[in-house]
């Protein structure tokens, strides 16, 4: 029999402590159970069987006509103003390439990091405009419009903003469109989260308040599935034509199979029940995160989103990188925010993991309680 040397077991345990699984509050993606896998499989098959000769070929660079028509009807506009792209971010690239090089572009501070990078890459001058719990500050917007060259556009995410989770109040929405009219400003309203509302009253979209001044973008990434890559823009007719030309030059035709699959999903009446299901799954996560923060981090300020994926923390001191206590998050500086701010996404992990993650964060963050 081989004698067991307990001392070596102790050494090994000390050298290899049990691995703590990382909990990600960094990933702004849906929990896997949000994805309607079986329904989408059926819809993709049905779409090919029904309209395969169209969707498996090249087609319009503005996207699958029946889906353009559905979106136009939902937003009370004409299909010619709707551009479908491979995710709304692709459409944003087209818009930035067309309008932003060498121009000022106003953005909220903080704002979604990818558009920030895209704007810088095309040579725009990014001008951050202050915001608070009620969304972008209209007085700061007015100053930014008065000082300097007229901007190419204002990029705003007024509802359940990425990264802050904040929503622009109705009163401020009215001020923003008034300022847009006064200064002949194009506003791009990016609204992928608006329908992912758990409670509270829905404010009018900026687009509803001023179809003339506001270009609107949204996506089926948060309401159906991001992997299907179907985003859309509602644009002034001339701008739609210009972006369609950029789309032709970039990919000839967007991915029609995904668009036809989304259309089939809508046609079958799957959209509303799926959205209700997704709202329930995400509401449970948001609730778990708010409850855990109240329990564990009373000295910290955070936003209280009524929907969407994110909330925003303001610490009394600087954020230590991108990880603390085996929990990952995105530092506020990635979004143009302060060194003491950070974004937590509650969309991906389970409510139990959220409780554990916030507990670990509270133990690891240098926050005076
Ligand atoms: C504010 C905002 N806009 C656009 C996108 C990108 O959406 P899509 O998947 O349609 O490209 C995201 C994704 O997280 C987002 O948060």
């Amino acid at each position: 029999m081989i004698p067991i040397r307990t001392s070596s077991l102790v050494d090994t345990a000390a050298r290899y402590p049990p691995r703590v699984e990382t909990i990600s509050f960094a990933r702004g993606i849906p929990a896997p159970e949000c994805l309607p896998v079986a329904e989408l499989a059926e819809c993709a098959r049905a779409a090919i069987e029904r309209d395969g000769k169209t969707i498996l070929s090249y087609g319009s660079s503005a996207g699958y006509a029946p889906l353009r028509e559905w979106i136009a009807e939902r937003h009370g506009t004409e299909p010619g103003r709707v551009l479908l792209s491979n995710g709304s971010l692709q459409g944003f690239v087209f818009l930035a390439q067309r309008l932003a090089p060498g121009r000022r572009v106003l953005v909220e501070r903080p704002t979604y990091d990818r558009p920030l990078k895209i704007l810088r890459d095309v040579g725009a001058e990014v001008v951050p405009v202050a915001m608070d719990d009620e969304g972008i500050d209209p007085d700061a917007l007015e100053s930014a419009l008065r000082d300097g060259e007229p901007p190419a556009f204002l990029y705003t995410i007024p509802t359940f903003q990425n990264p802050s989770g904040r929503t622009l109040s109705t009163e401020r929405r009215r001020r923003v469109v008034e300022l847009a009219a006064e200064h002949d400003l194009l506003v791009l309203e990016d609204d992928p989260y608006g329908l992912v509302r758990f409670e509270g009253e829905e404010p009018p979209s900026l687009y509803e308040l001023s179809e003339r001044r506001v270009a609107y973008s949204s996506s089926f990434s948060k309401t159906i599935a991001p992997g299907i890559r179907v985003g859309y823009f509602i644009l002034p007719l001339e701008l739609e034509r210009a972006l369609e030309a950029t789309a032709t030059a970039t990919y000839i035709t967007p991915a029609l199979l995904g668009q036809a699959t989304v259309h089939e999903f809508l046609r079958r009446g799957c959209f509303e029940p799926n959205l209700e299901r997704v709202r329930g799954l995400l509401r449970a996560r948001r609730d778990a995160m708010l409850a855990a923060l109240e329990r564990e981090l009373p000295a910290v300020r955070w936003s209280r989103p009524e929907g969407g994926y994110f909330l925003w923390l303001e610490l009394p001191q600087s954020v230590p990188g991108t990880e603390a206590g085996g929990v990952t998050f995105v530092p506020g500086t990635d979004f143009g925010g302060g060194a003491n701010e950070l974004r937590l996404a509650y969309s991906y992990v389970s409510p139990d993991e959220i409780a554990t993650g916030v507990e670990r964060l509270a133990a690891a963050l240098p926050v005076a309680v």
Side-chain angles (χ1 to χ4, degrees):
M1 209 172 97
I2 304 168
I4 296 175
R5 283 176 44 231
T6 47
S7 65
S8 87
L9 284 182
V10 172
D11 289 353
T12 309
R15 245 181 290 143
Y16 303 103
R19 246 189 80 220
V20 179
E21 284 294 323
T22 300
I23 294 178
S24 175
F25 293 154
R27 306 197 73 186
I29 65 173
E33 55 267 48
C34 289
L35 305 173
V37 176
E39 287 99 321
L40 284 176
E42 276 176 32
C43 290
R45 168 172 278 281
I48 292 182
E49 282 172 354
R50 179 135 48 110
D51 208 8
K53 296 228 158 74
T54 301
I55 62 181
L56 297 177
S57 187
Y58 292 114
S60 161
S61 40
Y64 188 55
L67 184 58
R68 289 177 84 195
E69 282 158 23
W70 187 92
I71 291 167
E73 199 180 320
R74 186 174 178 111
H75 290 279
T77 188
E78 40 183 305
R81 292 182 56 194
V82 178
L83 179 90
L84 304 178
S85 55
N86 296 333
S88 61
L89 204 62
Q90 175 83 71
F92 183 84
V93 172
F94 293 162
L95 191 92
Q97 286 171 342
R98 277 277 160 180
L99 300 183
R103 307 269 315 267
R104 297 168 81 223
V105 175
L106 311 186
V107 302
E108 291 150 344
R109 178 164 67 207
T111 193
Y112 182 29
D113 51 348
R114 291 187 198 279
L116 275 181
K117 182 173 182 318
I118 291 163
L119 288 169
R120 288 187 183 123
D121 284 351
V122 302
E125 181 198 342
V126 175
V127 180
V129 179
M131 75 184 310
D132 59 25
D133 287 343
E134 266 190 77
I136 196 166
D137 174 355
D139 293 336
L141 176 60
E142 190 166 18
S143 310
L145 288 166
R146 290 237 161 92
D147 311 338
E149 293 289 306
F153 59 93
L154 161 70
Y155 171 67
T156 174
I157 311 159
T159 309
F160 313 138
Q161 197 226 24
N162 182 2
S164 70
R166 292 164 175 157
T167 292
L168 185 64
S169 65
T170 300
E171 202 188 314
R172 287 196 184 179
R173 284 172 194 245
R174 295 192 194 286
R175 285 269 330 265
V176 169
V177 295
E178 273 166 27
L179 286 169
E182 262 169 51
H183 293 265
D184 195 20
L185 170 72
L186 174 69
V187 176
L188 173 59
E189 174 175 30
D190 187 10
D191 186 30
Y193 301 101
L195 288 178
V196 189
R197 173 174 283 281
F198 315 142
E199 71 227 354
E201 209 178 304
E202 188 183 332
S205 67
L206 295 170
Y207 174 76
E208 282 161 355
L209 293 176
S210 174
E211 270 193 44
R212 223 165 94 69
R213 303 278 166 197
V214 181
Y216 180 88
S217 70
S218 187
S219 155
F220 294 95
S221 288
K222 321 296 167 183
T223 53
I224 302 182
I228 204 127
R229 306 310 296 134
V230 182
Y232 66 91
F233 280 68
I234 300 172
L235 300 161
L237 213 47
E238 253 174 50
L239 193 54
E240 193 284 330
R241 294 272 147 75
L243 263 56
E244 210 176 308
T246 309
T248 313
T250 307
Y251 47 44
I252 311 175
T253 304
L256 296 179
L257 174 55
Q259 296 176 7
T261 303
V262 164
H263 181 253
E264 181 66 26
F265 196 84
L266 298 165
R267 213 182 62 87
R268 289 181 176 204
C270 294
F271 187 72
E272 287 300 332
N274 182 64
L275 186 56
E276 217 24 70
R277 194 180 63 81
V278 166
R279 285 179 182 137
L281 290 165
L282 292 170
R283 184 193 295 117
R285 288 165 168 77
R286 189 277 320 258
D287 288 347
M289 189 165 269
L290 285 177
L293 286 169
E294 266 150 36
R295 241 184 356 257
E296 306 289 341
L297 280 164
V300 169
R301 247 174 72 85
W302 58 83
S303 57
R304 299 188 150 268
E306 292 184 332
Y309 278 22
F310 308 107
L311 54 79
W312 188 243
L313 260 62
E314 291 167 52
L315 304 184
Q317 61 275 83
S318 293
V319 175
T322 58
E323 184 271 340
V327 177
T328 55
F329 47 80
V330 185
T333 46
D334 281 20
F335 307 101
N340 66 323
E341 296 172 318
L342 62 96
R343 186 191 79 176
L344 297 184
Y346 50 77
S347 54
Y348 179 58
V349 285
S350 70
D352 284 349
E353 285 169 310
I354 288 173
T356 309
V358 174
E359 219 172 276
R360 285 205 218 151
L361 266 186
L365 286 176
V367 176
V369 182

